Amino acid sequence: MRRTIFEKFRRSKSEKRVKVMMKTALLGLLLVCSAFAQAPSLASASSRADDMPHIQQRAIAADPFSVAGPHGALLGTQDGRFEAWIYPWKIFDNLRISARMQDYDVPLDVNAHASQIDVEPDRTTITYSHANFTIRQIMIAPQSAPAHAGVLVFYQIEAIRPMTLTFSLHPVMQPMWPAKSEGDPAPEWVKQGNGRGFYILHLDLPQHSAALSLGSAQPGILPPYQEGPKSWPLQFVLHFDPQRDEDKLYPLLITFADSQAAGTQQAFASALDQLNTQALLLLAADRDYYRKFLAAHTSIQTPDLRLNQAFTWAELSIDQLRIATRPDSQNKALIAGLLRSGDTARPGFGWFFGRDALWSLYAADSYGSLRTSRQEIEFLARQQRADGKIMHELSQTANQVDWQALPYEWASADATPLFLMAANDYLRVSADQSFIKSVWPHLQKAWAFETSHDADGDGIYDNAQGSGWVESWIPQMPHQEIYLAALDAQASTAFANLAEATGHSAAAQQARRRAQKIAHTIEREYYLSNAHSYAFSWNGTAGADKTASIFPAVAWWDGSFALQHPGAMMQDWASADFSTDWGVRDISNKTSFYDPISYHQGSVWPLFTGWASLAEYRAGHSLSGYAHLMQNANLIWAQDPGNSTELLSGRFYQALGRSTAHQLWSAAMVISPALRGLFGLEWNAPAGVLAVSPALPANWNDVSIRHLPFGGKWIDLTLHREGAMLVVRASDSGVQLKSRIAGARVVQGALEIPLPPVEVAVAEQLPELGAETRQLKVLDQQQGTHSLTLHLSAFGGTTQTLIVRRNANVGRLTVQGGQLEAATGELQTLHVRFNDGEGYVSKTVELTW
């Protein structure tokens, strides 16, 4: 065979033809190697891609992992136990491994030897390490897998002595919540040639079934019909001889049938044979998909490698939650998040949510996944209610139940204004007016719904049509939350922009007038002059609920709106009353009903932290904004590696047990505050304008942003300190650069932004697990012509360290409230000693020149 192939190569006169034939020949050899009768080669499964992100950590047995793709997911814990989903069905759970070795007569729990977890974009590997063996469990959820086979697992085994491995699992065969179970599955072992075989999981009705195979493994417990009823694990028993088998790769194949014809022995044998033949090709295709994904989307290069990596992982995390809207569909939409379901049929929030997706589309737009935004907007438009309301949630099994009779689809009110805001953001980043015109009827209907639901007549969309943010509140549910009111103001401006883009000038003018009116009404109803803050809600004749909360932060979200009196409120958010060392609580820990492990009354959500960070950047509180951004970024490594969790305790640094560990909007809240806050980007691609108003840390000199979307093209930005200026350059001279920062100007195509004479930087890192809040808080920063005043808070008796930078010849620099070390170039270290006291104490530091 080889002689024939190479003879053909020699006879070919065309170099291009030779390359094509070599590729075809190698593909054929790969298919032969991975035929069902022979275990595939391990080389492509175990190799690492040096040009791709990689997280390697010690496995923490109870911590979660997720491997997710468009048609399925593997969800488990880092001891290697997992459950398998082929959407929307849970096939099995609790797969675990035991071992017996030759001349080593002790049964071993292999999962207890999980030592390391390696996460790459296309795969997650858990390594089991024992003195006699190393086993690698390589898990993928291929992008190009057929809909009936959404996940694959490969086992690479090395050992000193022969051993027998038993893979035990609990067959489940249950559709996702809220569909009814079709009973417990009945396993059938189907024998094949060469001692091989596979299991079929039958249900009481023949419409649905699944099949599993594991290389040359034999069946384990097969209770006879005569045996009394009892629950037994389904088992694969694999005899491994290192002399014979060490070069083999053992694929665990899983396939699903949704018809009686597809569930026969012959049909399953064919499906498993085909899947085994494709297994290594799917592995290679997935690596290629993610390599292309990374090249096609935005990346950042800053002096902080951790932030750069977190940004990339956040993009990947979002993309892995794009799933097929139906098993046979090419259309995709975002699900809210994933976590092992345990004894339930709820894999975290593994179904479609309107507001979760819409908050996250700002991140998708920012890093250039405009197809994600288009598909999501189209999906929500298809689900839109006849009166214009945008859905709250839709289960993957909604078509199997009377979904309309359940209270979930329209439970919240905020998806409708967010729909308008997200469409406007897509337009401003992409300049894709044709798409906006195609969905214009849906935008009109959403606008009509929003503007016609105002129960008290104050001109603001309220909670009469569902919850705003909170789904429970003490003492009672609010009438109109500031969260919803602030969204209404921004959605009004968004609709005005959309109307102008589609030639509806009268509607645009009306919407702008409404936005202005809402802004005045919010100040009148919500601003608490005595407290210098804003109320949580307005309740008509009952007045304001004066609870201090994080929810006013959403007023700064899209850059078109802001509250007029933010100062004292933002100082509260930056303080330990709201800010832990791992993120921001939704309410102060001084509130009477504060509960740090509740869902809505005191826990920490990365979502809230992202809201706060972007608001702080836009309102001039960049030091606290940076602290909150980095808290979110560092959470990428904290629980499910490469992903960010849903919520954490408000007192101790630890995620809640039911926190969805791979959460969509938590990942989005790394990207949006970074690009739109830290770098200060604001797109107006239809006008050809990109605003850049950065607030870089004082110890950063150079930053680059690669492959940034702008209109129908991609650009690179560089930011470089040159004396007293920060100089921004775009790779495309057709992009008009602007800035909100006073004194900025364009010189020979470059945007020159004046830097303050003196800047300060703070360090930020997460504490040890279980820790309470102890780190420095920057409550406020005030920049004067010849001064910089910092209002700080830290634990009494501690000394905190900051970095000071001189950007100009400022002469003598004097510090009140701290001590400067000798300068090292442009940077100096500032030590601030806090007076003794219980808990946090405050101090003002003033630098003058």
Side-chain angles (χ1 to χ4, degrees):
M1 178 179 175
R2 289 180 181 174
R3 184 180 301 118
T4 302
I5 292 172
F6 286 121
E7 283 174 355
K8 288 181 180 178
F9 288 163
R10 287 194 296 269
R11 287 196 299 268
S12 174
K13 296 179 181 180
S14 166
E15 183 179 351
K16 181 177 181 181
R17 185 182 173 197
V18 169
K19 289 181 179 178
V20 171
M21 295 182 71
M22 288 180 67
K23 184 175 180 181
T24 303
L26 290 172
L27 179 60
L29 290 172
L30 183 60
L31 290 173
V32 170
C33 290
S34 61
F36 192 49
Q38 181 178 350
S41 165
L42 59 83
S44 62
S46 58
S47 63
R48 266 199 57 214
D50 293 333
D51 60 339
M52 299 246 276
H54 177 222
I55 294 175
Q56 184 178 87
Q57 296 181 175
R58 187 167 185 83
I60 301 174
D63 275 6
F65 73 82
S66 59
V67 179
H71 298 293
L74 300 168
L75 309 173
T77 48
Q78 292 176 29
D79 64 356
R81 297 169 185 256
F82 66 89
E83 63 191 37
W85 287 82
I86 297 178
Y87 293 140
W89 284 76
K90 181 180 179 181
I91 309 302
F92 63 78
D93 66 16
N94 197 27
L95 188 146
R96 64 266 187 209
I97 312 170
S98 60
R100 282 190 174 273
M101 296 178 292
Q102 180 179 296
D103 301 325
Y104 198 102
D105 198 20
V106 176
L108 292 174
D109 177 357
V110 173
N111 298 93
H113 293 272
S115 61
Q116 183 172 289
I117 181 168
D118 290 82
V119 180
E120 298 173 78
D122 61 322
R123 66 193 70 184
T124 291
T125 302
I126 290 180
T127 301
Y128 306 102
S129 178
H130 182 267
N132 178 66
F133 61 77
T134 296
I135 301 173
R136 294 179 179 87
Q137 179 175 296
I138 303 160
M139 299 168 283
I140 67 172
Q143 291 287 327
S144 55
H148 63 271
V151 290
L152 280 166
V153 184
F154 299 89
Y155 289 96
Q156 178 195 347
I157 306 168
E158 300 172 271
I160 299 171
R161 297 179 181 178
M163 61 181 179
T164 297
L165 296 173
T166 300
F167 299 78
S168 301
L169 58 89
H170 173 225
V172 176
M173 287 298 293
Q174 185 174 354
M176 191 178 295
W177 169 91
K180 294 181 180 179
S181 170
E182 297 183 15
D184 293 332
E188 173 194 7
W189 178 257
V190 180
K191 292 183 179 180
Q192 293 188 301
N194 300 322
R196 294 171 177 270
F198 61 89
Y199 283 106
I200 298 179
L201 304 182
H202 297 283
L203 291 171
D204 294 341
L205 300 176
Q207 185 70 21
H208 300 110
S209 54
L212 316 172
S213 72
L214 179 59
S216 58
Q218 299 296 304
I221 299 170
L222 289 174
Y225 174 78
Q226 296 87 343
E227 186 66 21
K230 185 177 180 181
S231 178
W232 298 96
L234 185 147
Q235 294 180 326
F236 289 102
V237 179
L238 181 66
H239 302 291
F240 179 83
D241 184 339
Q243 298 298 317
R244 179 191 66 207
D245 301 324
E246 201 151 270
D247 290 334
K248 294 179 181 178
L249 191 65
Y250 296 88
L252 173 61
L253 306 176
I254 310 164
T255 186
F256 178 79
D258 60 3
S259 70
Q260 188 171 356
T264 64
Q265 291 185 7
Q266 294 79 8
F268 270 135
S270 176
L272 289 168
D273 191 8
Q274 182 182 21
L275 183 59
N276 191 77
T277 299
Q278 295 175 340
L280 291 181
L281 299 178
L282 291 171
L283 193 70
D286 232 32
R287 178 151 288 180
D288 186 56
Y289 170 86
Y290 284 109
R291 187 173 280 117
K292 290 178 179 176
F293 175 91
L294 293 171
H297 294 91
T298 304
S299 63
I300 61 173
Q301 287 80 44
T302 77
D304 191 330
L305 181 61
R306 191 86 162 174
L307 177 60
N308 304 343
Q309 294 173 339
F311 186 94
T312 296
W313 280 111
E315 292 179 337
L316 294 164
S317 183
I318 292 170
D319 190 68
Q320 289 166 355
L321 294 175
R322 293 176 63 238
I323 75 163
T325 54
R326 297 188 313 275
D328 60 346
S329 175
Q330 295 300 312
N331 295 321
K332 295 181 181 179
L334 292 162
I335 57 175
L338 291 168
L339 178 73
R340 178 175 172 267
S341 63
D343 296 331
T344 76
R346 297 172 62 105
F349 291 106
W351 53 96
F352 309 105
F353 282 79
R355 69 178 177 191
D356 299 56
L358 292 164
W359 277 113
S360 303
L361 291 190
Y362 282 82
D365 293 339
S366 300
Y367 67 77
S369 190
L370 299 174
R371 182 180 63 168
T372 295
S373 290
R374 285 194 304 273
Q375 289 188 338
E376 188 66 35
I377 291 168
E378 289 171 336
F379 172 72
L380 293 174
R382 290 194 298 272
Q383 303 300 324
Q384 188 175 27
R385 204 164 68 182
D387 63 359
K389 188 175 184 181
I390 300 299
M391 73 166 207
H392 173 59
E393 64 180 298
L394 182 74
S395 170
Q396 290 194 48
T397 59
N399 63 344
Q400 299 182 34
V401 299
D402 186 0
W403 184 248
Q404 294 294 328
L406 299 174
Y408 307 111
E409 187 166 11
W410 313 108
S412 72
D414 55 345
T416 303
L418 283 167
F419 182 69
L420 299 172
M421 293 166 60
N424 179 57
D425 192 68
Y426 172 83
L427 173 65
R428 292 180 71 83
V429 174
S430 70
D432 186 358
Q433 293 182 338
S434 62
F435 175 74
I436 297 302
K437 289 178 180 178
S438 74
V439 295
W440 174 249
H442 297 282
L443 300 172
Q444 280 185 304
K445 287 171 64 177
W447 175 246
F449 182 87
E450 182 174 340
T451 55
S452 61
H453 288 83
D454 170 21
D456 63 1
D458 68 349
I460 300 179
Y461 181 57
D462 55 39
N463 294 50
Q465 283 295 311
S467 61
W469 176 256
V470 297
E471 296 157 318
S472 63
W473 194 251
I474 299 172
Q476 62 186 11
M477 289 296 289
H479 164 71
Q480 181 191 92
E481 300 168 44
I482 194 168
Y483 164 82
L484 206 55
L487 292 186
D488 194 13
Q490 293 168 90
S492 297
T493 300
F495 185 76
N497 294 337
L498 296 165
E500 285 179 349
T502 53
H504 299 85
S505 57
Q509 292 174 7
Q510 180 190 29
R512 292 200 191 283
R513 287 194 296 270
R514 186 172 187 271
Q516 294 171 358
K517 182 179 178 182
I518 290 172
H520 292 305
T521 304
I522 288 175
E523 294 296 329
R524 185 182 73 250
E525 291 180 345
Y526 287 89
Y527 181 58
L528 308 173
S529 57
N530 292 337
H532 304 290
S533 65
Y534 288 81
F536 164 71
S537 68
W538 174 256
N539 301 290
T541 56
D545 179 339
K546 299 180 181 180
T547 304
S549 75
I550 198 63
F551 301 111
V554 301
W556 283 266
W557 180 252
D558 75 356
S560 69
F561 178 60
L563 299 175
Q564 295 178 14
H565 305 91
M569 181 174 63
M570 288 199 172
Q571 290 188 43
D572 288 341
W573 294 343
S575 76
D577 291 357
F578 275 86
S579 286
T580 69
D581 294 342
W582 51 95
V584 182
R585 306 179 185 98
D586 58 342
I587 61 173
S588 164
N589 61 3
K590 304 294 176 57
T591 306
S592 62
F593 52 88
Y594 164 69
D595 179 355
I597 58 172
S598 67
Y599 201 63
H600 281 305
Q601 284 91 43
S603 53
V604 168
W605 294 47
L607 177 68
F608 306 153
T609 308
W611 290 346
S613 177
L614 186 51
E616 288 167 329
Y617 272 117
R618 286 184 163 157
H621 294 248
S622 61
L623 294 175
S624 185
Y626 174 75
H628 290 141
L629 165 62
M630 291 308 301
Q631 287 167 353
N632 271 1
N634 287 324
L635 285 174
I636 289 289
W637 288 265
Q639 191 186 22
D640 180 353
N643 302 299
S644 187
T645 197
E646 177 192 9
L647 73 162
L648 304 97
S649 167
R651 180 171 175 185
F652 302 112
Y653 172 45
Q654 184 61 262
L656 271 61
R658 287 294 295 268
S659 174
T660 299
H662 184 167
Q663 183 76 12
L664 174 67
W665 56 25
S666 297
M669 291 302 159
V670 175
I671 293 165
S672 291
L675 289 181
R676 299 172 187 245
L678 173 65
F679 302 128
L681 301 184
E682 295 176 83
W683 286 261
N684 187 0
V689 175
L690 179 66
V692 187
S693 308
L696 301 185
N699 52 340
W700 288 12
N701 289 327
D702 296 279
V703 168
S704 61
I705 305 171
R706 304 297 186 193
H707 214 68
L708 186 74
F710 187 83
K713 53 193 173 184
W714 303 88
I715 63 171
D716 296 340
L717 292 180
T718 59
L719 292 76
H720 174 66
R721 290 180 184 267
E722 295 182 9
M725 291 288 176
L726 181 67
V727 180
V728 182
R729 294 182 173 89
S731 60
D732 189 325
S733 60
V735 177
Q736 183 181 354
L737 298 176
K738 290 187 176 181
S739 181
R740 289 179 179 259
I741 298 174
R745 61 178 184 166
V746 176
V747 179
Q748 296 181 343
L751 177 65
E752 295 186 352
I753 302 173
L755 292 164
V758 174
E759 295 178 80
V760 167
V762 294
E764 183 60 44
Q765 63 181 12
L766 292 175
E768 296 293 324
L769 285 171
E772 295 188 72
T773 296
R774 291 291 187 273
Q775 294 177 6
L776 173 71
K777 309 297 177 188
V778 181
L779 307 184
D780 192 23
Q781 58 193 97
Q782 295 294 329
Q783 188 82 49
T785 306
H786 295 283
S787 66
L788 173 61
T789 304
L790 303 174
H791 299 288
L792 308 176
S793 180
F795 243 65
T798 64
T799 297
Q800 303 292 330
T801 301
L802 299 89
I803 298 170
V804 176
R805 182 188 195 105
R806 305 183 189 211
N807 290 315
N809 185 12
V810 298
R812 182 182 178 186
L813 182 61
T814 303
V815 179
Q816 293 184 357
Q819 183 175 356
L820 273 175
E821 289 187 1
T824 304
E826 298 166 321
L827 301 179
Q828 289 180 267
T829 301
L830 172 63
H831 300 288
V832 180
R833 167 75 182 178
F834 287 79
N835 293 333
D836 293 339
E838 184 177 349
Y840 272 83
V841 297
S842 298
K843 186 168 188 176
T844 298
V845 176
E846 186 174 30
L847 296 89
T848 57
W849 53 90

